């Protein structure tokens, strides 16, 4: 029976916890995103970022029903909406209202500028879009807005220490990314409904390919981090998840599951983001050179190798364009657009679906075997259900709820998939902001000199050894094993 003190503590913790506030905010955005399903456009005013040459066309409301609204007005409404809902949560968690309001406002508009800059056509346009934009070349780096946000945050956090200290009240990288992950669940759910309509072989092969990320990558990375780089389990587990599974989301989920200190997934996230940018720079072009005869292998490889959702999808889109262009030129085959991207996205979706399961498994293992060896834990002592629950990252509940609700809705009534997708796209526009706010905040709270002294060089070392030593190549082998010989339909075929 729960005592009054225990009940009071639980209520208090649910109001003070970043995890729970990520759930509340993520579910609130998710509920608003269901508006199109019942014929009400509740988030259509959210600003979206277009790939642009003319800066006047850089912004627009995400919904066509708000097309009469200017892009800057959509940006202002998005700012006010995020300001209100995050201030409510931040104050409930103990933040000073005025300081948070001012700090968040500054962080929002700096991040906003980074996203606009990152969508400049010469930076973000994929090769298949260059002709319509009338540009001769592009870096095809759609994730650069996030990287710019992190760089600006790093500059402020390391060279303008007083300003950084003032902004710290509103710089909450874990809260922002966790809220974004909850919102992400709906997008994955609706994508999974769409994936169920694809050829069964692609689904089955995608599921099988994902198994290696957890059963092969993770233990090898963990072993290398522990044995050769001398990391403690508290560092090695989130590092293994971040490098081997799903980047920032997996690192944070694992950190929460094993009760790692908050700074650990924050540090790891900074390194992961940089490596995702590096992968985006070369992996699609390697795929074009090596795999233009095996397009679905190339797509699955992007999904397995690039450790962020946006990065994997972006690399899949680039690879789709590059390989189709080369196949048309050298093989005379005109494959339909989107199938290579689908292989990348489907693979990444299945990886994401298992994040919560893996976090729960690690929470149980860390509790049962007392791997953290905390002073309050006694080896061999009985582990209560309450302790396992305490370790469990609560925001994963929100992620699972949004995923399952959209999945079940789509399976029961396939006719709503189109309208649900519209709402999901609107929610994803807000998710983009939460992710970008996280990246800026990571940079802001990251003191490079202190982190390097604390062992960041070893984190980079583990990442380099694992990524280039075996992750890329095992991922390529597994992709080949499951997708070899499968090609997209031919245009007009």
């Amino acid at each position: 029976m729960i005592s009054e003190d225990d009940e009071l503590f639980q209520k208090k913790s649910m109001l003070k916890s970043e995890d729970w506030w990520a759930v509340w905010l993520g579910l609130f955005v998710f509920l608003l995103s269901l508006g199109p399903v019942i014929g009400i456009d509740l988030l259509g005013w959210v600003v979206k970022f277009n790939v642009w040459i003319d800066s006047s066309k850089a912004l627009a409301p995400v919904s066509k029903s708000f097309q009469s609204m200017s892009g800057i007005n959509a940006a202002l409404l998005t700012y006010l909406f995020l300001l209100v809902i995050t201030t409510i949560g931040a104050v409930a968690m103990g933040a000073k209202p005025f300081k948070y309001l001012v700090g968040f406002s500054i962080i929002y508009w700096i991040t906003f500028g980074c996203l606009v800059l990152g969508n400049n056509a010469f930076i973000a346009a994929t090769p298949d879009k260059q002709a319509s934009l009338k540009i001769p070349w592009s870096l095809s780096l759609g994730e650069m807005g996030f990287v710019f946000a992190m760089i600006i945050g790093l500059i402020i956090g390391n060279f303008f220490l007083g300003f950084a200290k003032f902004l710290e009240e509103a710089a909450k990288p874990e809260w922002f990314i966790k809220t974004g992950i909850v919102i992400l669940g709906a997008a994955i759910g609706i994508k999974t409904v769409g994936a169920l309509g694809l050829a069964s072989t692609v689904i089955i092969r995608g599921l099988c390919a994902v198994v290696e990320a957890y059963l092969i990558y993770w233990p090898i990375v963990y072993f290398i981090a522990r044995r050769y780089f001398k990391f403690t389990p508290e560092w090695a587990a989130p590092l293994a998840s971040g490098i081997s599974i799903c980047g920032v989301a997996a690192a944070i989920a694992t950190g929460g599951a094993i009760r790692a200190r908050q700074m650990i997934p924050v540090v790891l996230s900074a390194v992961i983001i940089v490596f995702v940018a590096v992968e985006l720079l070369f992996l699609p072009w390697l795929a074009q050179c090596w795999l233009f005869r095996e397009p679905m292998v190339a797509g699955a490889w992007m999904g397995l190798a690039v450790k962020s959702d946006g990065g994997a999808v972006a690399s899949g889109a680039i690879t789709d364009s590059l390989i189709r262009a080369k196949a048309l030129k050298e093989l005379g085959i005109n494959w339909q657009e989107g199938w290579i991207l689908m292989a990348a996205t489907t693979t990444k979706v299945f990886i994401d679906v298992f994040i919560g399961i893996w976090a729960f498994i690690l929470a149980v293992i860390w509790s049962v075997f007392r791997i953290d060896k905390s002073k309050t834990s006694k080896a061999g002592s009985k582990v209560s259900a309450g302790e396992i629950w305490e370790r469990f990252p609560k925001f994963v509940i929100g992620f699972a709820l949004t995923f399952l609700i959209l999945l079940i809705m789509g399976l029961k009534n396939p006719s709503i998939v189109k309208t649900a997708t519209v709402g999901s796209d609107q929610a994803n526009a807000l998710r983009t902001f939460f992710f970008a706010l996280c990246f800026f905040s990571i940079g802001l709270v990251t003191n490079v000199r202190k982190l390097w002294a604390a062992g960041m060089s070893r984190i980079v070392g583990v990442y380099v050894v694992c990524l280039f030593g075996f992750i890329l190549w095992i991922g390529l082998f597994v992709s080949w094993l499951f997708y070899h010989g499968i090609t997209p339909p031919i245009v007009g075929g």
Side-chain angles (χ1 to χ4, degrees):
M1 187 172 179
I2 300 175
S3 69
E4 290 185 11
D5 289 342
D6 288 339
E7 188 175 349
L8 180 61
F9 173 79
Q10 289 177 4
K11 290 179 180 178
K12 183 179 179 181
S13 65
M14 292 180 73
L15 292 176
K16 295 291 185 181
S17 165
E18 277 191 354
D19 267 25
W20 280 117
W21 272 105
V23 173
W24 310 142
L25 296 192
L27 288 178
F28 178 62
V29 171
F30 167 69
L31 289 174
L32 293 179
S33 76
L34 294 178
V37 175
I38 57 175
I40 305 174
D41 199 345
L42 299 175
L43 289 178
W45 44 266
V46 174
V47 69
K48 71 171 182 176
F49 297 89
N50 299 318
V51 177
W52 59 275
I53 287 292
D54 180 355
S55 60
S56 65
K57 299 178 180 179
L59 307 172
V62 70
S63 173
K64 291 181 179 179
S65 61
F66 285 84
Q67 60 185 354
S68 61
M69 179 183 292
S70 69
I72 192 62
N73 284 340
L76 285 168
L77 282 176
T78 304
Y79 157 69
L80 291 173
F81 177 77
L82 291 175
L83 180 68
V84 170
I85 65 171
T86 62
T87 299
I88 292 171
V91 172
M93 290 186 287
K96 298 176 181 176
F98 177 77
K99 197 171 182 181
Y100 180 85
L101 284 166
V102 176
F104 180 86
S105 299
I106 294 171
I107 290 174
Y108 174 91
W109 289 111
I110 292 175
T111 303
F112 173 83
C114 292
L115 290 174
V116 172
L117 178 60
N119 278 278
N120 177 266
F122 288 102
I123 296 172
T126 51
D128 58 319
K129 303 296 183 183
Q130 291 173 12
S132 62
L133 290 166
K134 298 180 181 179
I135 57 175
W137 61 272
S138 170
L139 297 176
S140 299
L141 297 175
E143 293 271 296
M144 284 305 291
F146 296 152
V147 177
F148 289 152
M150 186 184 68
I151 291 172
I152 297 298
L154 281 168
I155 292 171
I156 295 173
N158 287 271
F159 296 100
F160 301 91
L161 302 183
F163 188 37
K165 186 69 175 175
F166 177 80
L167 294 180
E168 278 184 6
E169 186 83 11
K172 299 180 180 294
E174 286 198 54
W175 186 31
F176 294 145
I177 195 70
K178 289 172 182 176
T179 305
I181 292 169
V182 173
I183 298 170
L184 175 64
I188 294 173
I190 206 66
K191 286 179 183 177
T192 302
V193 173
L196 291 174
L198 299 170
S200 60
T201 53
V202 174
I203 300 298
I204 294 171
R205 289 166 195 250
L207 278 168
C208 292
V210 164
V211 171
E212 57 84 26
Y214 293 87
L215 301 185
I216 300 176
Y217 283 171
W218 199 94
I220 296 176
V221 177
Y222 184 82
F223 174 78
I224 289 173
R226 293 279 289 131
R227 178 69 179 272
Y228 298 105
F229 288 86
K230 308 302 180 185
F231 279 103
T232 64
E234 184 188 28
W235 280 92
L239 182 57
S241 293
I243 294 176
S244 65
I245 298 174
C246 186
V248 174
I252 290 176
T254 299
I258 68 169
R259 292 200 300 194
R261 288 168 291 168
Q262 287 191 355
M263 56 90 65
I264 290 176
V266 170
V267 173
L268 298 179
S269 297
V271 177
I272 290 166
I273 293 165
V274 172
F275 273 91
V276 166
V278 171
E279 287 180 285
L280 274 168
L281 288 172
F282 74 89
L283 276 188
W285 284 269
L286 285 182
Q288 181 193 41
C289 293
W290 297 347
L291 300 171
F292 70 94
R293 297 175 187 273
E294 293 287 348
M296 300 298 280
V297 173
W301 190 33
M302 296 303 106
L304 287 172
V306 181
K307 302 305 174 185
S308 80
D309 295 297
V313 174
S315 63
I318 296 168
T319 302
D320 192 302
S321 178
L322 292 175
I323 286 183
R324 286 187 301 104
K326 187 166 184 177
L328 181 61
K329 180 180 179 181
E330 298 196 12
L331 304 177
I333 300 174
N334 188 10
W335 281 316
Q336 288 183 14
E337 181 180 358
W339 281 80
I340 299 170
L341 172 59
M342 180 275 292
T345 302
T346 301
T347 303
K348 201 71 179 68
V349 162
F350 288 134
I351 289 174
D352 289 340
V353 166
F354 284 99
I355 292 174
I357 297 172
W358 192 249
F360 179 74
I361 290 171
L362 291 177
V364 173
I365 291 173
W366 251 247
S367 296
V368 171
F369 293 97
R370 302 294 185 182
I371 292 176
D372 57 356
K373 294 184 174 66
S374 62
K375 293 180 180 179
T376 59
S377 299
K378 296 181 180 179
S381 61
K382 185 178 179 180
V383 180
S384 67
E387 181 174 349
I388 294 175
W389 170 251
E390 184 184 352
R391 288 175 179 268
F392 185 74
K394 310 304 185 299
F395 73 95
V396 174
I397 297 171
F399 172 87
L401 276 175
T402 55
F403 166 76
L404 289 172
I405 290 171
L406 255 297
L407 178 63
I408 293 169
M409 286 174 62
L411 292 176
K412 283 192 172 183
N413 185 7
S415 64
I416 71 167
V417 169
K418 185 175 180 180
T419 53
T421 300
V422 170
S424 177
D425 289 342
Q426 294 172 0
N428 269 331
L430 288 173
R431 179 178 66 83
T432 296
F433 261 108
F434 279 112
F435 275 39
L437 291 168
C438 169
F439 294 153
F440 176 86
S441 300
I442 286 172
L444 188 74
V445 302
T446 302
N447 188 307
V448 174
R449 286 168 292 185
K450 289 182 179 179
L451 291 176
W452 196 263
M456 179 164 300
S457 59
R458 289 190 295 147
I459 298 172
V460 173
V462 174
Y463 212 126
V464 170
V465 168
C466 294
L467 181 66
F468 296 104
F470 65 89
I471 286 177
L472 290 179
W473 319 124
I474 292 178
L476 178 57
F477 171 74
V478 171
S479 300
W480 183 279
L481 184 66
F482 289 108
Y483 286 95
H484 173 58
I486 299 178
T487 58
I490 296 174
V491 175

